[in-house]
Amino acid sequence: SRVECVSLSVEFTPEVLLRLEGLELHGQLVLGQSIRYWMTVARFVIDLLTDQRFIPTMYQSKGEDFRASWQPWLHDDAARAKVGALIMSMPPSVRAIFDKADHEPWAILDEALRTMTNIAVRRVLQSEQYIEAIEDRDPTNDAHVSWLSGLLDRNDTVPQSDGAGSLLLRDVRGWVGRLDDRGQDLPFHLSLQLEEPAESVTLEELKPIDSRIKWIVSMHLQSPDDPDLRIEAANLWDLRAGGLLPGGIGAEKAQEVLLTELGRASRIYDKIENALNETTPNHLELSTAEAYEFLTDYKPLLEESGFEVIVPDWWKDPSAQIGARLFIDAPELNMQPRTAEEAADASNMVGLQSLVNYQWQIAIGDQPLSMDEFHALAAQNTPLVRLRGRWVEIRPDQIEKALKFIESQPDGEMPLLQAIRLAHGAAGKNIGLHVSGFDATGWVNDLLGASQDEKRMPQLDQPKGFLGELRPYQQSGLSWLAFLDRFGLGACLADDMGLGKTIQMIALLLYERESAFDPDAIGPTLLVVPTSLVGNWQREIERFAPSLRVHINHGPDRPLDDLFHEAVRTNDVVITTYGLVSRDRETLSHINWHRVALDEAQYIKNPPTKQTRTIRALKTTRRIALTGTPVENRLAELWSIMEFLNPGYLGTVHEFRQQFAVPIERHRDPIQAERLRGLIQPFVLRRLKTDRNVIDDLPDCLETKEYATLTSEQATMYERSVKEMLGSIEQAEGIHRRGAVLATLVKLKQICNHPILGVPAKGGKKVNAETLAEDISEMGELSARSGKCRRLKVMLDEVLASDGKALIFTQFRRMGHLLTTMIQRELGCEAMFLHGGTPIIKRQQMIDRFNEPEPGHEVPIFVLSLKAGGIGLNLTAANHVFHFDRWWNPAVENQATDRAFRIGQTRTVHVHKFVCTGTLEERIDQMIEQKTKLAENIIGAGEQWLTELGTQQLRDILTLRTSAVEGDA
């Protein structure tokens, strides 16, 4: 059968694909696997071009004319790994092309990479300045001009005289071959380290750089296998003949390798030839101009050829370059706590929409310069200047851009929101210079530094009506919430789980009423919480602030319309659930709420949902989000929370995706990550339990991996399922493929848990304790059929013997019932199971019984479903936490762990994460461990990334290893 396709011009293919990359799709419209694949390839090409990883080349095929071309340079480990991943993940629809050649995946990808790179480079270089450089020279008399004309012109033919083309082709191939000569068989590689001079000047004493200043390039041998084995060339020549280096390499051999490597490097950097004229070459001396040339021109070429080049940290650091910095001038404000009547007057608020005076300044990093200072720097006429204790790069083009920008930017006024976004490069406005942030005076300085410096905000006393004692960091949290409330700004209290976000919020509600002349003048706060936490909030308010009047708007008998308005008028806090917000939208939207607060605010992480849109549309001037995990899977979740708190602050979701989400999540861009962190920092307060400066009386939390094997029954089911499911995955595309992958992962995880989960319940009945009892009534020991259950049984025996208590988390309700049955049968111990279907009243009874049992009614083991029991519960009676099956999302697992590891815990908490060796569990666990963290608490790791893996990668992950099965099976 034929499939209709869209034909794109090769010249514009990358741009079209990258436009699709940022397209937000809704409803039934999805991008096919082939489009997603080519989007990834196009992004890879753009990354290569951005890093200038391309070279000119020349070819001749089947007796045709000689042709010039630009090709990607893929001769490094990272690029090769990326190409390998693209080949393995190529969808069948990409390979299903009609061509006279039998195209293999590698051939299709190679052709696409070469074609896109060649077209893109030519488009940039086909400008008058390059064409003019060769238009007056005859290409038939100069082979290099001939090659250049083929590289720059739209016509890629290389003009030639008789025999010249073949000679030029040979020379080009030799040059490319030398670039690819990486000395891979040598026991050491050459390492060059640029060491800067120490001379420093102040702006007041700027003078031309002394030509006698020397930069040193020291030479070393570096072991490719041992990063710590690095030998300075100066020391190498001092070794006696016959001596041995670490690793057993002889001194003469090492010296020979050094000379070989220097010879190879001299073909790229000719100044090394001067060192080879010495009997014991060990360093080069460079002038400042030569050092700059080494950094800009030769460092990339040397690195491409396999040499290590170490340069000072400031090189290519934006803070060591000319940029622009915004200065915001705001008046001082009286920051003393206001009465509630003053606070209730929105017209008195200052905030993100307030107009502020601003001016742009030229800066080096975060150090603004006066125009006199800047002109003094420009007069140096050298690209590197030592300034205020460090070297900075001063390029002529930067000087020109900076002058033009400052001259075109008169002082003025703008809303604070716009100023902050400009200062962090988030306004979508490219000014041609690095923007290094801003300086501020007055209330703006106090506001934006409050989350990092407690001295910038007034510290509040604990409310008199608060029954209990706030810890110092909780008192600071209360002060911070009230401080941002003073400005009418939304605040995200993102304290680590277990640090008491709930009581800090309760203290704020109490404080604002105690500080008011007429507490009744303050409207109610709408508190939106997960259904499972309604009772918890009610009890915590009764415990710590019984003077607050609370209305629970939940259940089928909840008041509506006029009755609801009356309940709102006579209460301080109205508690509802996320599930009811959309259902009660008409009722809730007619109230002008004093505040809307969200507990477990990650519930609004999906921006397009009706629930999220309804919450954002509620009428209020104050917003608070409470969450221990502002980001679980994607940065879009952070955008959604910030859009609720301070609408428009991070731009539209499309702008946010283009400026931050794609660069950070996909390309691990540290600059954009830092900019995003700077943007959200004033509105997010994050403290960690592990920080002893925050809390110093929590015990340790020890995490271990518990490895189990499969029984032969599990192994047989596992292999059969993998074979069946890989067949279905290979035939699927798009959303159907992702669904098939997730179904495979779930099925295999269930088999790793217990073979009974690999088959449906009898008669397709709903899973509960009764139906499970029917399935297992005739079985013997349940643990005998599962390696994990055997391991868990042994460990629980030890917990019980030491008078400990344990939480066991599982994703599957059926597994929860099976575990409680196994524990009661085989350990003679009662166990409870809490899941999503547990009624709220019974849920609290179970929690109370676990934490504070009546004598003779102790239940030492509590099984919980991960979603129902992973948030909002205080279960500090437990000192062991078992993750029986893994969620493969560290944020979610940490939430569950923190049911026990939180304030009130007095014993060391032992966390056990179960992994079946030789299965997908072990390999996915390894992949997560190897993932690089770009910015703590900004990027998460969910499970959806697994659905994007290629079929071959999935096959490698899912295939059962011999180590998976028990040795005595």
Side-chain angles (χ1 to χ4, degrees), residues 675-944:
R675 284 178 171 173
L676 178 58
R677 192 182 295 108
L679 274 170
I680 68 172
Q681 204 168 58
F683 310 106
V684 178
L685 184 60
R686 174 74 164 163
R687 279 86 59 92
L688 303 177
K689 292 195 299 285
T690 51
D691 185 351
R692 295 295 179 181
N693 294 321
V694 174
I695 183 169
D696 59 6
D697 59 353
L698 266 183
D700 291 331
C701 182
L702 306 178
E703 181 179 303
T704 57
K705 300 279 177 61
E706 306 295 343
Y707 293 95
T709 53
L710 301 180
T711 63
S712 56
E713 179 186 9
Q714 286 176 292
T716 301
M717 294 180 66
Y718 187 102
E719 289 185 305
R720 183 171 62 244
S721 297
V722 169
K723 185 176 181 181
E724 294 172 354
M725 293 176 177
L726 281 176
S728 63
I729 289 172
E730 288 180 340
Q731 301 302 319
E733 288 194 10
I735 192 170
H736 300 292
R737 184 184 186 277
R738 292 194 292 275
V741 172
L742 283 178
T744 299
L745 298 176
V746 170
K747 179 71 175 294
L748 295 179
K749 279 203 280 187
Q750 289 177 323
I751 293 172
C752 288
N753 279 0
H754 200 284
I756 195 172
L757 269 66
V759 294
K762 289 183 178 179
K765 297 177 183 177
K766 185 177 181 180
V767 176
N768 54 38
E770 290 73 25
T771 57
L772 185 66
E774 293 178 17
D775 288 343
I776 64 177
S777 59
E778 299 178 359
M779 295 182 191
E781 280 196 348
L782 292 172
S783 61
R785 299 178 60 188
S786 164
K788 273 190 186 180
C789 287
R790 284 185 183 179
R791 179 71 179 134
L792 178 67
K793 179 182 172 182
V794 171
M795 298 185 71
L796 288 179
D797 218 1
E798 295 175 1
V799 171
L800 296 173
S802 61
D803 294 325
K805 284 193 169 185
L807 306 178
I808 306 174
F809 287 97
T810 177
Q811 296 175 56
F812 309 110
R813 186 182 296 191
R814 199 175 181 195
M815 191 67 223
H817 287 302
L818 190 148
L819 286 172
T820 53
T821 303
M822 182 193 79
I823 292 166
Q824 290 163 358
R825 273 192 193 182
E826 301 179 22
L827 294 175
C829 168
E830 184 178 357
M832 298 181 296
F833 179 35
L834 185 152
H835 52 79
T838 306
I840 292 179
I841 295 177
K842 185 178 180 182
R843 176 190 181 96
Q844 190 58 43
Q845 291 172 347
M846 296 167 75
I847 294 168
D848 293 341
R849 188 178 175 197
F850 183 77
N851 281 331
E852 300 175 3
E854 297 178 5
H857 293 82
E858 293 85 358
V859 183
I861 300 175
F862 203 169
V863 182
L864 307 100
S865 73
L866 192 56
K867 283 196 172 181
I871 58 173
L873 301 183
N874 188 333
L875 298 169
T876 51
N879 64 325
H880 287 266
V881 178
F882 292 87
H883 293 285
F884 190 77
D885 43 62
R886 307 291 302 284
W887 192 254
W888 296 326
N889 184 329
V892 174
E893 289 187 342
N894 291 340
Q895 279 182 323
T897 295
D898 287 328
R899 300 312 100 217
F901 184 54
R902 58 195 300 119
I903 292 175
Q905 181 58 263
T906 58
R907 296 180 291 177
T908 297
V909 176
H910 299 270
V911 181
H912 314 277
K913 296 185 176 182
F914 276 50
V915 177
C916 271
T917 59
T919 70
L920 83 161
E921 291 193 339
E922 183 177 29
R923 286 187 293 285
I924 294 178
D925 176 68
Q926 292 168 351
M927 292 171 71
I928 292 174
E929 291 291 335
Q930 293 166 0
K931 273 194 166 187
T932 334
K933 286 187 179 179
L934 176 63
E936 194 71 26
N937 304 319
I938 286 186
I939 298 176
E943 292 190 346
Q944 289 296 323

Side-chain angles (χ1 to χ4, degrees), residues 387-401:
L387 174 65
R388 292 172 181 167
R390 66 172 181 172
W391 288 86
V392 295
E393 182 184 11
I394 309 292
R395 298 202 314 262
D397 62 317
Q398 288 181 320
I399 293 174
E400 184 178 352
K401 285 180 181 178

Side-chain angles (χ1 to χ4, degrees), residues 507-760:
L508 176 68
L509 297 172
L510 205 55
Y511 158 76
E512 64 185 355
R513 281 161 175 78
E514 288 186 1
S515 62
F517 294 121
D518 180 11
D520 292 333
I522 301 176
T525 288
L526 176 65
L527 180 60
V528 186
V529 305
T531 303
S532 59
L533 300 186
V534 171
N536 183 67
W537 270 96
Q538 185 179 18
R539 281 185 298 277
E540 294 291 276
I541 293 175
E542 290 173 354
R543 176 184 175 188
F544 292 105
S547 62
L548 292 177
R549 299 165 296 174
V550 181
H551 168 67
I552 306 297
N553 197 59
H554 186 257
D557 298 328
R558 65 187 183 280
L560 299 172
D561 302 325
D562 292 342
L563 292 176
F564 177 73
H565 283 259
E566 180 63 21
V568 169
R569 190 182 64 80
T570 56
N571 283 280
D572 302 314
V573 184
V574 176
I575 301 177
T576 190
T577 68
Y578 286 99
L580 288 177
V581 166
S582 297
R583 201 177 306 172
D584 295 345
R585 182 172 56 87
E586 290 298 324
T587 302
L588 298 174
S589 63
H590 288 122
I591 307 293
N592 286 314
W593 299 98
H594 174 69
R595 176 187 294 106
V596 174
L598 309 181
D599 189 21
E600 301 296 345
Q602 65 271 19
Y603 271 67
I604 65 164
K605 64 184 181 181
N606 295 319
T609 63
K610 183 179 180 181
Q611 173 181 284
T612 301
R613 293 198 306 269
T614 300
I615 288 174
R616 288 209 300 261
L618 293 171
K619 299 175 184 176
T620 184
T621 55
R622 296 169 176 83
R623 297 174 176 86
I624 290 177
L626 308 178
T627 175
T629 53
V631 178
E632 284 185 345
N633 298 310
R634 298 175 298 121
L635 285 179
E637 299 165 7
L638 176 63
W639 179 89
S640 189
I641 292 175
M642 291 300 296
E643 181 68 9
F644 160 73
L645 293 173
N646 298 297
Y649 181 64
L650 293 182
T652 67
V653 68
H654 177 71
E655 291 170 342
F656 180 79
R657 174 177 168 78
Q658 293 296 101
Q659 292 172 5
F660 295 109
V662 170
I664 295 173
E665 292 176 342
R666 191 168 299 174
H667 309 298
R668 299 290 191 257
D669 187 331
I671 294 176
Q672 288 303 93
E674 185 61 35
R675 284 178 171 173
L676 178 58
R677 192 182 295 108
L679 274 170
I680 68 172
Q681 204 168 58
F683 310 106
V684 178
L685 184 60
R686 174 74 164 163
R687 279 86 59 92
L688 303 177
K689 292 195 299 285
T690 51
D691 185 351
R692 295 295 179 181
N693 294 321
V694 174
I695 183 169
D696 59 6
D697 59 353
L698 266 183
D700 291 331
C701 182
L702 306 178
E703 181 179 303
T704 57
K705 300 279 177 61
E706 306 295 343
Y707 293 95
T709 53
L710 301 180
T711 63
S712 56
E713 179 186 9
Q714 286 176 292
T716 301
M717 294 180 66
Y718 187 102
E719 289 185 305
R720 183 171 62 244
S721 297
V722 169
K723 185 176 181 181
E724 294 172 354
M725 293 176 177
L726 281 176
S728 63
I729 289 172
E730 288 180 340
Q731 301 302 319
E733 288 194 10
I735 192 170
H736 300 292
R737 184 184 186 277
R738 292 194 292 275
V741 172
L742 283 178
T744 299
L745 298 176
V746 170
K747 179 71 175 294
L748 295 179
K749 279 203 280 187
Q750 289 177 323
I751 293 172
C752 288
N753 279 0
H754 200 284
I756 195 172
L757 269 66
V759 294

Side-chain angles (χ1 to χ4, degrees), residues 412-434:
E413 283 187 336
M414 71 171 69
L416 177 59
L417 182 149
Q418 182 182 350
I420 296 175
R421 285 175 54 78
L422 272 174
H424 286 93
K429 181 180 180 181
N430 183 9
I431 67 174
L433 290 172
H434 170 71

